[in-house]
PDB file of all heavy atoms in Angstrom:
ATOM      1  N   GLN B  48     105.183 121.500 102.675  1.00 96.00           N
ATOM      2  CA  GLN B  48     105.814 120.172 102.493  1.00 96.00           C
ATOM      3  C   GLN B  48     106.632 120.176 101.198  1.00 96.00           C
ATOM      4  O   GLN B  48     106.178 120.611 100.174  1.00 96.00           O
ATOM      5  CB  GLN B  48     104.739 119.076 102.430  1.00 96.00           C
ATOM      6  CG  GLN B  48     105.249 117.715 102.049  1.00 96.00           C
ATOM      7  CD  GLN B  48     104.509 117.099 100.897  1.00 96.00           C
ATOM      8  OE1 GLN B  48     103.282 117.065 100.866  1.00 96.00           O
ATOM      9  NE2 GLN B  48     105.230 116.547  99.948  1.00 96.00           N
ATOM     10  N   SER B  49     107.861 119.646 101.292  1.00 96.00           N
ATOM     11  CA  SER B  49     108.676 119.558 100.092  1.00 96.00           C
ATOM     12  C   SER B  49     108.599 118.142  99.557  1.00 96.00           C
ATOM     13  O   SER B  49     108.067 117.239 100.168  1.00 96.00           O
ATOM     14  CB  SER B  49     110.136 119.908 100.398  1.00 96.00           C
ATOM     15  OG  SER B  49     110.782 118.775 100.961  1.00 96.00           O
ATOM     16  N   CYS B  50     109.172 117.995  98.381  1.00 96.00           N
ATOM     17  CA  CYS B  50     109.316 116.657  97.729  1.00 96.00           C
ATOM     18  C   CYS B  50     110.236 115.798  98.639  1.00 96.00           C
ATOM     19  O   CYS B  50     111.026 116.322  99.406  1.00 96.00           O
ATOM     20  CB  CYS B  50     109.933 116.968  96.390  1.00 96.00           C
ATOM     21  SG  CYS B  50     110.496 115.589  95.479  1.00 96.00           S
ATOM     22  N   CYS B  51     110.141 114.490  98.479  1.00 97.00           N
ATOM     23  CA  CYS B  51     110.857 113.594  99.427  1.00 97.00           C
ATOM     24  C   CYS B  51     112.323 113.342  99.014  1.00 97.00           C
ATOM     25  O   CYS B  51     113.050 112.691  99.706  1.00 97.00           O
ATOM     26  CB  CYS B  51     110.138 112.222  99.435  1.00 97.00           C
ATOM     27  SG  CYS B  51     110.393 111.221  97.993  1.00 97.00           S
ATOM     28  N   THR B  52     112.745 113.852  97.862  1.00 96.00           N
ATOM     29  CA  THR B  52     114.082 113.617  97.238  1.00 96.00           C
ATOM     30  C   THR B  52     114.220 112.253  96.568  1.00 96.00           C
ATOM     31  O   THR B  52     115.280 111.938  96.071  1.00 96.00           O
ATOM     32  CB  THR B  52     115.289 113.752  98.206  1.00 96.00           C
ATOM     33  OG1 THR B  52     115.414 112.552  98.986  1.00 96.00           O
ATOM     34  CG2 THR B  52     115.193 114.971  99.146  1.00 96.00           C
ATOM     35  N   GLY B  53     113.149 111.449  96.592  1.00 96.00           N
ATOM     36  CA  GLY B  53     113.255 110.051  96.103  1.00 96.00           C
ATOM     37  C   GLY B  53     113.842 109.950  94.706  1.00 96.00           C
ATOM     38  O   GLY B  53     114.673 109.060  94.420  1.00 96.00           O
ATOM     39  N   LEU B  54     113.446 110.872  93.850  1.00 94.00           N
ATOM     40  CA  LEU B  54     113.989 110.823  92.473  1.00 94.00           C
ATOM     41  C   LEU B  54     115.492 111.024  92.486  1.00 94.00           C
ATOM     42  O   LEU B  54     116.211 110.276  91.847  1.00 94.00           O
ATOM     43  CB  LEU B  54     113.300 111.937  91.656  1.00 94.00           C
ATOM     44  CG  LEU B  54     113.129 111.718  90.131  1.00 94.00           C
ATOM     45  CD1 LEU B  54     112.380 110.439  89.847  1.00 94.00           C
ATOM     46  CD2 LEU B  54     112.322 112.895  89.572  1.00 94.00           C
ATOM     47  N   GLY B  55     115.948 112.002  93.267  1.00 95.00           N
ATOM     48  CA  GLY B  55     117.379 112.229  93.381  1.00 95.00           C
ATOM     49  C   GLY B  55     118.116 111.080  94.061  1.00 95.00           C
ATOM     50  O   GLY B  55     119.246 110.708  93.677  1.00 95.00           O
ATOM     51  N   TYR B  56     117.482 110.494  95.033  1.00 97.00           N
ATOM     52  CA  TYR B  56     118.073 109.363  95.810  1.00 97.00           C
ATOM     53  C   TYR B  56     118.260 108.173  94.840  1.00 97.00           C
ATOM     54  O   TYR B  56     119.328 107.552  94.826  1.00 97.00           O
ATOM     55  CB  TYR B  56     117.124 109.005  96.939  1.00 97.00           C
ATOM     56  CG  TYR B  56     117.575 107.928  97.900  1.00 97.00           C
ATOM     57  CD1 TYR B  56     118.380 108.249  98.963  1.00 97.00           C
ATOM     58  CD2 TYR B  56     117.212 106.613  97.686  1.00 97.00           C
ATOM     59  CE1 TYR B  56     118.798 107.244  99.860  1.00 97.00           C
ATOM     60  CE2 TYR B  56     117.627 105.597  98.575  1.00 97.00           C
ATOM     61  CZ  TYR B  56     118.433 105.925  99.663  1.00 97.00           C
ATOM     62  OH  TYR B  56     118.823 104.949 100.559  1.00 97.00           O
ATOM     63  N   TYR B  57     117.230 107.862  94.087  1.00 97.00           N
ATOM     64  CA  TYR B  57     117.348 106.689  93.202  1.00 97.00           C
ATOM     65  C   TYR B  57     117.975 106.995  91.840  1.00 97.00           C
ATOM     66  O   TYR B  57     118.153 106.082  91.003  1.00 97.00           O
ATOM     67  CB  TYR B  57     115.988 105.985  93.075  1.00 97.00           C
ATOM     68  CG  TYR B  57     115.596 105.224  94.340  1.00 97.00           C
ATOM     69  CD1 TYR B  57     114.544 105.635  95.137  1.00 97.00           C
ATOM     70  CD2 TYR B  57     116.398 104.152  94.761  1.00 97.00           C
ATOM     71  CE1 TYR B  57     114.256 104.951  96.287  1.00 97.00           C
ATOM     72  CE2 TYR B  57     116.088 103.474  95.916  1.00 97.00           C
ATOM     73  CZ  TYR B  57     115.004 103.878  96.680  1.00 97.00           C
ATOM     74  OH  TYR B  57     114.737 103.167  97.812  1.00 97.00           O
ATOM     75  N   PHE B  58     118.300 108.257  91.638  1.00 94.00           N
ATOM     76  CA  PHE B  58     119.220 108.604  90.498  1.00 94.00           C
ATOM     77  C   PHE B  58     120.640 108.519  90.993  1.00 94.00           C
ATOM     78  O   PHE B  58     121.561 108.917  90.315  1.00 94.00           O
ATOM     79  CB  PHE B  58     118.928 110.050  90.023  1.00 94.00           C
ATOM     80  CG  PHE B  58     117.890 110.144  88.901  1.00 94.00           C
ATOM     81  CD1 PHE B  58     116.533 110.133  89.163  1.00 94.00           C
ATOM     82  CD2 PHE B  58     118.278 110.330  87.594  1.00 94.00           C
ATOM     83  CE1 PHE B  58     115.617 110.280  88.157  1.00 94.00           C
ATOM     84  CE2 PHE B  58     117.335 110.473  86.574  1.00 94.00           C
ATOM     85  CZ  PHE B  58     115.999 110.462  86.844  1.00 94.00           C
ATOM     86  N   ASP B  59     120.856 108.105  92.231  1.00 95.00           N
ATOM     87  CA  ASP B  59     122.193 107.967  92.865  1.00 95.00           C
ATOM     88  C   ASP B  59     122.871 109.349  93.173  1.00 95.00           C
ATOM     89  O   ASP B  59     124.056 109.351  93.364  1.00 95.00           O
ATOM     90  CB  ASP B  59     123.164 107.103  91.972  1.00 95.00           C
ATOM     91  CG  ASP B  59     122.557 105.777  91.673  1.00 95.00           C
ATOM     92  OD1 ASP B  59     122.258 105.027  92.653  1.00 95.00           O
ATOM     93  OD2 ASP B  59     122.357 105.445  90.495  1.00 95.00           O
ATOM     94  N   LEU B  60     122.090 110.387  93.165  1.00 94.00           N
ATOM     95  CA  LEU B  60     122.647 111.703  93.462  1.00 94.00           C
ATOM     96  C   LEU B  60     122.522 112.058  94.912  1.00 94.00           C
ATOM     97  O   LEU B  60     123.462 112.458  95.540  1.00 94.00           O
ATOM     98  CB  LEU B  60     121.922 112.773  92.583  1.00 94.00           C
ATOM     99  CG  LEU B  60     122.394 114.184  92.834  1.00 94.00           C
ATOM    100  CD1 LEU B  60     123.743 114.417  92.139  1.00 94.00           C
ATOM    101  CD2 LEU B  60     121.402 115.213  92.284  1.00 94.00           C
ATOM    102  N   PHE B  61     121.315 111.898  95.465  1.00 95.00           N
ATOM    103  CA  PHE B  61     121.122 112.195  96.875  1.00 95.00           C
ATOM    104  C   PHE B  61     121.638 111.042  97.742  1.00 95.00           C
ATOM    105  O   PHE B  61     121.489 109.893  97.430  1.00 95.00           O
ATOM    106  CB  PHE B  61     119.634 112.460  97.196  1.00 95.00           C
ATOM    107  CG  PHE B  61     119.273 113.877  97.222  1.00 95.00           C
ATOM    108  CD1 PHE B  61     119.149 114.595  96.019  1.00 95.00           C
ATOM    109  CD2 PHE B  61     118.999 114.524  98.415  1.00 95.00           C
ATOM    110  CE1 PHE B  61     118.809 115.948  96.072  1.00 95.00           C
ATOM    111  CE2 PHE B  61     118.647 115.840  98.456  1.00 95.00           C
ATOM    112  CZ  PHE B  61     118.566 116.587  97.246  1.00 95.00           C
ATOM    113  N   ASP B  62     122.258 111.418  98.846  1.00 97.00           N
ATOM    114  CA  ASP B  62     122.756 110.443  99.849  1.00 97.00           C
ATOM    115  C   ASP B  62     121.695 110.295 100.908  1.00 97.00           C
ATOM    116  O   ASP B  62     120.775 111.067 101.035  1.00 97.00           O
ATOM    117  CB  ASP B  62     124.047 110.991 100.448  1.00 97.00           C
ATOM    118  CG  ASP B  62     123.779 112.329 101.076  1.00 97.00           C
ATOM    119  OD1 ASP B  62     123.744 113.324 100.335  1.00 97.00           O
ATOM    120  OD2 ASP B  62     123.564 112.389 102.321  1.00 97.00           O
ATOM    121  N   GLN B  63     121.912 109.272 101.753  1.00 98.00           N
ATOM    122  CA  GLN B  63     120.900 108.928 102.740  1.00 98.00           C
ATOM    123  C   GLN B  63     120.776 110.035 103.812  1.00 98.00           C
ATOM    124  O   GLN B  63     119.662 110.312 104.310  1.00 98.00           O
ATOM    125  CB  GLN B  63     121.223 107.617 103.443  1.00 98.00           C
ATOM    126  CG  GLN B  63     120.190 107.113 104.417  1.00 98.00           C
ATOM    127  CD  GLN B  63     118.855 106.808 103.738  1.00 98.00           C
ATOM    128  OE1 GLN B  63     118.768 106.066 102.803  1.00 98.00           O
ATOM    129  NE2 GLN B  63     117.791 107.490 104.230  1.00 98.00           N
ATOM    130  N   MET B  64     121.856 110.671 104.190  1.00 98.00           N
ATOM    131  CA  MET B  64     121.792 111.688 105.261  1.00 98.00           C
ATOM    132  C   MET B  64     121.016 112.911 104.781  1.00 98.00           C
ATOM    133  O   MET B  64     120.152 113.435 105.513  1.00 98.00           O
ATOM    134  CB  MET B  64     123.222 112.079 105.683  1.00 98.00           C
ATOM    135  CG  MET B  64     123.266 112.985 106.934  1.00 98.00           C
ATOM    136  SD  MET B  64     122.581 112.206 108.413  1.00 98.00           S
ATOM    137  CE  MET B  64     124.042 111.296 108.963  1.00 98.00           C
TER     138      MET B  64
END
Side-chain angles (χ1 to χ4, degrees):
Chain B
Q48 173 233 312
S49 82
C50 170
C51 76
T52 79
L54 210 54
Y56 184 86
Y57 286 114
F58 269 80
D59 304 301
L60 178 76
F61 262 74
D62 58 281
Q63 185 64 55
M64 188 63 84

